[in-house]
Amino acid sequence: MDWGLVTQEWALLPGAIVDILTSPVVVLALLIGGVIGIAVGLMPGLTAVMAMSLLLGFMLNLPVEAGLGLLIGVYTGAIYSGSITAVLLNIPGTPAAAVTTLDGFPLAKQGKAREAVGTTTWASFFGEWIGEIVGFILLPFVAALALMLGDWELFLVALIGILLAGGLAGRSPLKGWIAAFIGITISMVGTDPIYGTPRFGFTPELMRGVDFVPVLIGVFGVAEILFVLRSKQPYRLAGKPGRAITRWDILRKPASVVNIARSGLIGVLMGIVPGSGESAAPWIAYDLARRRSRRPQDFGKGSHEGLIAAETSNNATSGGALIPSLTLGIPGSGPTAILIAALFMYGVRPGPSLIVEEPGFIATTIALFLISAVVMRVLAYLASTYFIRLLSIPRTIILPIAVTLGFVGAWGVGFTVFDIQVVLVCGLIGYVLRSRGFPLAPLVLGILIGPVADQSLRRAILTYEGDFGAMFTRPIALVLAGFLLAWLAWTLWKLWRGDRGGAEDDTALEDAADDDPADADEPAPGGEPAPSSARTGRTPGSDDDPPETDQR
């Protein structure tokens, strides 16, 4: 790596930002791309990859900077707005937003949807800037690290993401793991990518495999509708319409600043892992945030800390995925693969020679991402009022509309009736699993990461000719395997300890009830049971939530 060329790229970044801001065509392209991206992310079933692919033909009539700005605007806008439906409808607009449903939707049900949208918006903005700046600074190191990851390391990273998702998404890690491996099983349907052997290919449609978009719509959208329909009084989200509320009292806390920085770094480092990094990063950041939190019991029930970690890392992955895409020609995610295709259409060849043949091009691309994040923040502020108005629409109306749009998106994946059938079947599967207490987000992650884990493991076995001992001679593989085993052992020990403690508590309660039945919860004056706040010493409304004010 020529350090003179690297420092030259760093020095060209400020000038690239000025050039973009003084170009009306590029700024307009970023605005149009941002609007399209936000609209795409709000529609379940439509993804950033799909929208960017459709725009490839239009961008050829634009200059290079404007064409890339259009695609980058769609990319950043779709990632952000996919979290809005996750918060308000419990339907992630993009696969990476599945983690956002864990705390975003509970906040909306508590009447704090405006706060949740505000936290999501700012966490997305901070994550995008951290991802691009840190990725740009670490450009040579990230490129070198990406070259050190082989098939065996990719498999271990995918396995870590699956185990983390299963262990964090629900109260029972075992149920989360079962849901994740159900997703992996679904991803195995189709044709073996190495030898072309059919797997569960009972029909021509199954031979094609199952795409993740119809599954995402089914397990979240259709399952949510079935839950609403079975209720005699469908729930309605509380809260007043208006613009998003920014909880600066939370975002300014030192713990939140550390959470944002830590989650951003995780997003950058995981973003360099092709295929699985973008999906696994929010789960790893969420896990670390919960471990470091003073109130880990609030995670999954409406925690701003969990929401910040998920959204920051989700958006920071773009910075990590971009560097190997430009310096090595290896796409770190689906959207960066479209960007690489666009570069080839413009005659720009990504790879190790890019920094020599096109000096300043990497700095220009990073500048486009940074400015796009600012544009997205402005558009989000202007559109937040319309987002929050979803609260005033009864669930029995808005959910069928959202799922109908999802069916349109599922149809657009392959233009076959089979994808519609997948939505319905996965909706029933999601309904049954959710009724039995199984988390749904790990199932979707299993479908996303399953093919990467499958191909990576089998290629590694072929490369090492079945010698599993040789696989653990690589230093990075040892570190990843050690972390995986340590985390799994800790989770199982904690689960065993919790079950044992719960059994002892139950025995103690039974003995106490036998000795003195009067010690049970006595009715409060008036014949009603005493509220839990009276027994715990807390008063209702004692949470440190400030009055609802628009703190922009």
Side-chain angles (χ1 to χ4, degrees):
M1 178 68 69
D2 189 340
W3 290 99
L5 294 175
V6 173
T7 55
Q8 174 184 321
E9 290 291 328
W10 291 343
L12 291 175
L13 180 61
I17 293 176
V18 173
D19 291 341
I20 292 171
L21 292 177
T22 55
S23 175
V25 176
V26 179
V27 174
L28 182 61
L30 287 170
L31 282 170
I32 295 175
V35 171
I36 295 174
I38 290 176
V40 166
L42 288 173
M43 298 181 185
L46 300 183
T47 63
V49 174
M50 188 183 301
M52 292 169 69
S53 301
L54 294 175
L55 290 175
L56 283 176
F58 296 96
M59 55 170 285
L60 289 178
N61 298 321
L62 299 174
V64 178
E65 293 80 4
L68 290 180
L70 182 66
L71 297 182
I72 290 171
V74 173
Y75 184 12
T76 55
I79 292 179
Y80 160 71
S81 62
S83 303
I84 300 300
T85 55
V87 171
L88 299 179
L89 302 177
N90 199 28
I91 304 175
T94 57
V99 191
T100 307
T101 61
L102 300 181
D103 286 297
F105 189 63
L107 281 171
K109 293 182 72 174
Q110 296 168 17
K112 300 177 182 178
R114 295 169 65 188
E115 297 180 11
V117 172
T119 299
T120 297
T121 301
W122 279 107
S124 300
F125 175 77
F126 293 144
E128 188 71 46
W129 269 69
I130 291 174
E132 304 306 329
I133 293 177
V134 173
F136 189 49
I137 293 174
L138 300 179
L139 183 146
F141 310 104
V142 172
L145 181 60
L147 288 174
M148 296 173 63
L149 295 177
D151 289 320
W152 178 237
E153 287 81 7
L154 293 180
F155 167 74
L156 291 176
V157 170
L159 195 58
I160 288 173
I162 291 171
L163 291 180
L164 283 176
L168 296 174
R171 296 180 180 178
S172 171
L174 183 59
K175 287 186 175 181
W177 293 333
I178 291 174
F181 283 100
I182 288 175
I184 293 176
T185 303
I186 294 175
S187 71
M188 297 293 109
V189 175
T191 305
D192 168 29
I194 295 180
Y195 293 111
T197 305
R199 297 185 297 194
F200 308 106
F202 305 112
T203 65
E205 291 82 7
L206 288 174
M207 290 285 290
R208 183 173 62 90
V210 179
D211 194 90
F212 70 88
V213 172
V215 177
L216 182 73
I217 297 167
V219 297
F220 282 103
V222 175
E224 183 74 18
I225 266 209
L226 293 176
F227 263 86
V228 171
L229 292 178
R230 79 171 188 175
S231 304
K232 295 181 180 179
Q233 294 181 347
Y235 65 87
R236 185 172 180 175
L237 298 182
K240 300 177 182 178
R243 294 197 185 278
I245 296 175
T246 302
R247 288 290 303 272
W248 288 114
D249 58 314
I250 293 178
L251 293 174
R252 289 171 179 164
K253 289 182 178 179
S256 296
V257 175
V258 173
N259 187 10
I260 291 171
R262 180 180 60 238
S263 302
L265 290 175
I266 292 172
V268 174
L269 295 177
M270 292 300 298
I272 71 173
V273 181
S276 60
E278 188 178 34
S279 303
W283 293 102
I284 296 176
Y286 189 87
D287 172 53
L288 290 178
R290 191 182 70 167
R291 293 174 187 270
R292 298 294 182 180
S293 174
R294 295 182 178 179
R295 300 181 60 86
Q297 68 276 10
D298 292 343
F299 280 63
K301 301 176 183 178
S303 169
H304 282 273
E305 293 178 81
L307 194 60
I308 290 171
E311 281 303 300
T312 303
S313 60
N314 179 18
N315 286 264
T317 55
S318 62
L322 189 64
I323 300 306
S325 300
L326 295 178
T327 60
L328 303 175
I330 302 173
S333 62
T336 54
I338 303 299
L339 288 177
I340 289 178
L343 293 181
F344 276 109
M345 294 172 66
Y346 277 119
V348 179
R349 294 185 303 170
S353 61
L354 177 64
I355 196 171
V356 179
E357 297 175 354
E358 302 284 345
F361 185 83
I362 295 178
T364 300
T365 305
I366 297 295
L368 285 170
F369 270 94
L370 295 176
I371 297 174
S372 178
V374 177
V375 171
M376 180 272 295
R377 178 65 189 92
V378 174
L379 292 175
Y381 172 75
L382 297 176
S384 62
T385 301
Y386 303 99
F387 297 156
I388 307 300
R389 284 183 183 177
L390 293 174
L391 297 174
S392 62
I393 304 176
R395 309 290 287 176
T396 50
I397 296 177
I398 187 61
L399 283 177
I401 294 175
V403 173
T404 301
L405 294 174
F407 274 108
V408 175
W411 170 265
V413 171
F415 300 101
T416 63
V417 178
F418 174 72
D419 291 319
I420 304 297
Q421 295 170 346
V422 170
V423 172
L424 296 174
V425 172
C426 289
L428 293 176
I429 294 174
Y431 174 77
V432 173
L433 291 177
R434 185 174 168 185
S435 301
R436 299 298 179 182
F438 287 84
L440 300 180
L443 187 148
V444 176
L445 184 71
I447 293 176
L448 289 171
I449 295 184
V452 177
D454 175 33
Q455 295 181 38
S456 300
L457 175 61
R458 299 184 62 193
R459 286 175 181 169
I461 293 175
L462 291 174
T463 301
Y464 290 94
E465 298 180 348
D467 187 358
F468 289 94
M471 294 182 183
F472 291 97
T473 58
R474 296 168 63 92
I476 296 182
L478 284 174
V479 172
L480 293 175
F483 172 80
L484 177 64
L485 293 175
W487 187 89
L488 183 60
W490 180 84
T491 303
L492 293 176
W493 176 79
K494 190 170 109 173
L495 183 63
W496 174 79
R497 183 183 178 186
D499 291 342
R500 185 180 178 185
E504 293 176 353
D505 292 343
D506 292 341
T507 303
L509 288 174
E510 291 176 1
D511 294 340
D514 292 338
D515 294 340
D516 189 2
D519 289 340
D521 290 345
E522 296 182 359
E528 295 295 327
S532 60
S533 57
R535 297 192 296 271
T536 60
R538 295 181 62 190
T539 58
S542 62
D543 295 339
D544 54 353
D545 291 337
E548 187 173 289
T549 56
D550 194 348
Q551 304 177 29
R552 293 185 290 276

